[in-house]
Amino acid sequence: MHWILFFSGLILDQASKLIVAKTLPYQETVTVIPWLIDFFYVKNSGASFSILQGKTVFLIIFSAISLLAIFYIIFRLPKEQKLLRCAFSVLAAGALGNLVDRIRVNAVIDFIKLHFFPAFPIFNIADCLIVCSIAVIAWQVLWPHKGEGAL
């Protein structure tokens, strides 16, 4: 199951970025759902909140090392810890999705803009995968469920 999530997340992320790059005008707002979501195609050569702008080589190396660590954790987790395995697989999909962008276009393609919260950074599907998986991992580690112990 966790491999299905990994490949589905990666394909969804890369397909969405390809569609955005081919169809949306660069740095122009397209309203998707009024008062909720706009699409605004930009390229971010940094990390979250545009920190480390232009440090692409460092971010590629850091991402690659992080991916190796994530895959190591996935393979080391007991099979009973299905939720954690799935969460780490989703995390890997998001990390790899952004890594592919950094290698392919020297930046990450972002396009989701929260219309009602303009100060929030523009993001992409990979970022959603990363944030959601980190939330699940934190929840599982801080409050392990019966039969699913912490890391």
Side-chain angles (χ1 to χ4, degrees), residues 95-112:
L96 184 57
N98 283 342
L99 176 60
V100 167
D101 282 7
R102 288 187 203 291
I103 293 168
R104 192 172 55 84
V105 295
N106 210 30
V108 172
I109 294 173
D110 289 327
F111 61 92
I112 302 170

Side-chain angles (χ1 to χ4, degrees), residues 24-29 40-44:
L24 289 182
Y26 189 70
Q27 293 188 338
E28 287 187 32
T29 300
F40 186 77
Y41 170 33
V42 294
K43 293 179 183 175
N44 178 5

Side-chain angles (χ1 to χ4, degrees), residues 30-52:
V30 175
T31 300
V32 178
I33 302 172
W35 304 105
L36 187 60
I37 296 174
D38 291 340
F39 283 171
F40 186 77
Y41 170 33
V42 294
K43 293 179 183 175
N44 178 5
S45 67
S48 299
F49 299 95
S50 297
I51 61 171
L52 299 172

Side-chain angles (χ1 to χ4, degrees), residues 39-92:
F39 283 171
F40 186 77
Y41 170 33
V42 294
K43 293 179 183 175
N44 178 5
S45 67
S48 299
F49 299 95
S50 297
I51 61 171
L52 299 172
Q53 284 291 322
K55 305 290 185 195
T56 306
V57 173
F58 169 77
L59 291 169
I60 287 171
I61 293 168
F62 181 79
S63 296
I65 292 169
S66 298
L67 268 170
L68 290 174
I70 293 166
F71 283 122
Y72 176 79
I73 291 168
I74 291 169
F75 288 114
R76 296 285 300 167
L77 278 171
K79 299 229 184 272
E80 305 83 51
Q81 293 187 324
K82 292 180 180 119
L83 186 57
L84 266 175
R85 290 171 68 94
C86 287
F88 275 104
S89 296
V90 169
L91 177 61

Side-chain angles (χ1 to χ4, degrees), residues 49 112-124 127-128 131:
F49 299 95
I112 302 170
K113 181 179 178 183
L114 299 178
H115 187 76
F116 59 89
F117 192 19
F120 198 76
I122 300 166
F123 56 97
N124 58 44
D127 298 334
C128 294
V131 169

